Amino acid sequence: MENELKHELFNQFPKLKELANHDTVLWENTNWQKKAMTNLFSMEEVEKAEETLKRFSSYLKIAFPELLESNGLIESSIQDITLIKKALEKEFDVSIPGQFILKCDHALPISGSIKARGGIFEVLRHAEQLLMANGKLTKEDNFAVLATEDFHAFFQQYTIAVGSTGNLGLSIGIMGKKLGFNVVVHMSSDAKEWKKALLREKGATVIEYEADYSVAVEQGRREAEQDPMCHFIDDENSKDLFAGYAVAAKRLKIQFEKTNITVDEAHPLFVYLPCGVGGGPGGVAYGIREIFGEHAHIFFAEPAASPCMTIGLMTGLHDAISVEDIGLDNKTEADGLAVGRASKFVGKVMETYVSGCYTVKDEELFKSLALAMEVEDLFLEPSAHAGMFGPIQLMKKGQSYLEEHDLVDKMEQATHLVWATGGSMVPVEMREEYMAKVVQGARIND
Ligand SMILES: *Cc1c(COP(=O)(O)O)cnc(C)c1O
């Protein structure tokens, strides 16, 4: 990016300077609209995704017996986390009115992260298209037959490739290999060793890069283009991924109804979503705003070193600006969020849907990690803890947002939904490593 343009941007957007200083910010989206709209995507895609997932349920519960209980549905629960709220209020010296609920995607079956929604869906969608195109199956057939050797051999002719910081590769690798596909995962330098080892154990090919996520994706895309039998799952542009994530909102509505959580004018809903390239949080946000409307307020959470979506939305430049352009290094322990350039597709869709974005420092993520272990024995990976800071940032820095949206006197009846995006697959040794970091750093001042 040219210096002149940079200078202009810094003048036009004062918060960009704070971000460049590695300060934590809450940015409010002035393009937000009560009735959000986009012509880039539609709910019809989400309905279709839900139907595809239903068709595969008979196969999924054979392939993954952990899904027997949910009848083949890949879904997570919601959980009250009042104890964590109290601990955070004390630690960060803030009062947070309203109810604290955790969306437990860290415990999603099959791959233990939010990527078990979009990632697995796109593999299934692609598999279904191949089956139909080759006359192997119709939509009316029982998909349980996919667990047989004949179908495994069919999929072995094909390859699925993906670029990832870790969890997307894990989801696609596990699902793809189970069906019989060849799977090639291009992993960025941030990807954790255990994720690469697990993928190799499952039979996937893992290609490692010294560079960051964007390079891994670009290389993967280029290699896949040369192989007509290869489908590239494009984390930066895929509408299928987005649709798979968005299905979460329909399921959430049912969960809220069952647990008597109301969302209306008197009972606002705040949702805090950790954001990397944007697909996961974007899809979920899209679905929630389409279903819950103007009383759902969505905030994206990013590490102070990697606020790609924040700067993309703020400047309207989307993927034409990177965190390196403003002098940040994109180095964070929140590996799932270590993305320097946001998805243009997601950024454009989100323009009128998302309420804002905020940033969090790594040491804060580790503080939150320690508190959750202490009071709830709950382990989430560092990326997932970015969501915990939403209510804190909102109460400390979001007064003007609450006033503008006439929310100040409604906060006692508010629901804060923290989206826990990953963690249940993290091995014990790795958890201990994280806890050691907490002792060295975040908790040392106590
Ligand atoms: C991938 C990921 C996210 C963010 O999803 P994006 O689609 O990259 O924005 C958040 N948390 C965790 C743990 C992830 O793995």
Side-chain angles (χ1 to χ4, degrees):
M1 180 173 279
E2 284 173 31
N3 274 333
E4 202 174 318
L5 174 58
K6 243 188 261 184
H7 192 72
E8 219 172 276
L9 289 173
F10 278 118
N11 277 336
Q12 198 181 343
F13 306 102
K15 284 218 165 123
L16 208 53
K17 268 184 217 143
E18 295 175 44
L19 287 164
N21 284 337
H22 213 264
D23 289 341
T24 59
V25 308
L26 176 82
W27 168 77
E28 290 169 34
N29 178 16
T30 49
N31 292 320
W32 184 91
Q33 280 181 19
K34 281 189 180 177
K35 176 116 191 53
M37 253 183 289
T38 179
N39 53 19
L40 298 173
F41 194 78
S42 79
M43 275 305 274
E44 209 183 311
E45 301 293 323
V46 186
E47 316 284 344
K48 276 198 234 156
E50 201 181 22
E51 280 158 26
T52 299
L53 287 166
K54 263 190 211 138
R55 280 195 288 278
F56 273 94
S57 62
S58 59
Y59 161 69
L60 288 172
K61 61 185 172 182
I62 299 171
F64 302 98
E66 61 184 303
L67 290 174
L68 276 172
E69 209 179 311
S70 66
N71 207 17
L73 228 56
I74 304 164
E75 197 41 77
S76 75
S77 61
I78 52 174
Q79 183 191 332
D80 180 280
I81 46 165
T82 302
L83 288 178
I84 295 178
K85 166 179 147 163
K86 289 193 173 138
L88 288 170
E89 285 182 314
K90 188 159 168 263
E91 180 85 33
F92 292 93
D93 194 25
V94 59
S95 158
I96 306 166
Q99 193 181 5
F100 241 59
I101 306 281
L102 193 72
K103 178 59 179 167
C104 299
D105 274 10
H106 65 288
L108 270 178
I110 303 180
S111 63
S113 82
I114 189 170
K115 307 299 193 307
R117 298 185 182 281
I120 289 176
F121 168 68
E122 184 159 345
V123 172
L124 299 179
R125 162 49 89 65
H126 178 60
E128 188 175 67
Q129 282 167 343
L130 290 173
L131 291 166
M132 310 273 145
N134 289 279
K136 298 285 287 180
L137 217 59
T138 70
K139 287 186 179 172
E140 285 68 42
D141 289 329
N142 183 347
F143 280 35
V145 293
L146 297 183
T148 58
E149 186 48 45
D150 180 32
F151 284 91
H152 202 268
F154 170 73
F155 288 123
Q156 248 165 7
Q157 305 166 263
Y158 301 93
T159 301
I160 295 178
V162 65
S164 171
T165 57
N167 285 336
L168 184 63
L170 210 53
S171 297
I172 281 155
I174 294 172
M175 190 66 247
K177 288 311 295 180
K178 186 64 95 176
L179 279 162
F181 284 103
N182 301 300
V183 177
V184 182
V185 183
H186 300 263
M187 285 287 209
S188 69
S189 56
D190 307 284
K192 298 287 179 211
E193 279 310 318
W194 69 267
K195 291 179 185 172
K196 298 178 199 164
L198 182 61
L199 274 173
R200 288 185 172 122
E201 193 189 300
K202 301 269 177 200
T205 304
V206 177
I207 301 176
E208 301 178 63
Y209 294 86
E210 286 300 320
D212 79 357
Y213 160 89
S214 306
V215 174
V217 171
E218 185 48 39
Q219 278 299 326
R221 190 186 287 129
R222 217 176 297 159
E223 271 186 39
E225 268 167 11
Q226 315 197 330
D227 179 357
M229 299 295 269
C230 180
H231 175 72
F232 180 66
I233 294 188
D234 194 331
D235 203 12
E236 289 174 342
N237 299 300
S238 168
K239 292 188 183 180
D240 283 342
L241 280 177
F242 196 82
Y245 289 121
V247 171
K250 300 194 72 176
R251 312 249 181 93
L252 183 68
K253 181 152 197 288
I254 298 167
Q255 289 181 320
F256 275 6
E257 279 161 8
K258 280 193 184 148
T259 47
N260 295 318
I261 294 175
T262 307
V263 181
D264 60 19
E265 186 165 7
H267 303 82
L269 170 68
F270 294 85
V271 187
Y272 309 99
L273 287 154
C275 181
V277 73
V284 172
Y286 171 83
I288 288 181
R289 286 275 273 130
E290 286 289 327
I291 287 169
F292 294 92
E294 65 184 281
H295 304 300
H297 304 269
I298 316 250
F299 289 88
F300 287 170
E302 294 188 296
S306 313
C308 64
M309 187 57 80
T310 311
I311 62 174
L313 282 169
M314 179 190 290
T315 60
L317 289 172
H318 302 300
D319 66 345
I321 186 168
S322 75
V323 302
E324 287 86 0
D325 284 332
I326 63 164
L328 293 170
D329 64 5
N330 192 26
K331 293 259 179 297
T332 169
E333 286 286 343
D335 47 319
L337 313 181
V339 177
R341 200 181 285 278
S343 158
K344 180 181 182 179
F345 162 64
V346 176
K348 279 198 166 291
V349 171
M350 282 297 105
E351 275 171 357
T352 58
Y353 285 82
V354 74
S355 291
C357 303
Y358 62 88
T359 56
V360 189
K361 289 185 195 249
D362 278 14
E363 60 256 39
E364 293 173 328
L365 298 177
F366 281 111
K367 250 184 210 180
S368 173
L369 192 149
L371 288 178
M373 285 296 284
E374 213 171 282
V375 303
E376 283 275 10
D377 201 21
L378 170 76
F379 176 84
L380 307 176
E381 58 184 278
S383 297
H385 279 280
M388 293 283 188
F389 281 83
I392 298 172
Q393 298 289 51
L394 185 69
M395 296 319 291
K396 284 193 171 175
K397 298 179 171 156
Q399 201 55 34
S400 65
Y401 182 87
L402 299 182
E403 281 165 16
E404 268 162 47
H405 296 260
D406 200 16
L407 292 162
V408 178
D409 58 350
K410 295 169 186 154
M411 295 309 285
E412 289 294 343
Q413 287 83 249
T415 299
H416 302 277
L417 185 69
V418 174
W419 212 280
T421 46
S424 68
M425 303 237 333
V426 177
V428 176
E429 314 83 69
M430 194 65 212
R431 293 182 191 206
E432 279 164 5
E433 214 173 284
Y434 285 138
M435 290 308 284
K437 282 210 169 97
V438 171
V439 174
Q440 287 160 16
R443 303 287 287 173
I444 214 149
N445 302 326
D446 282 15

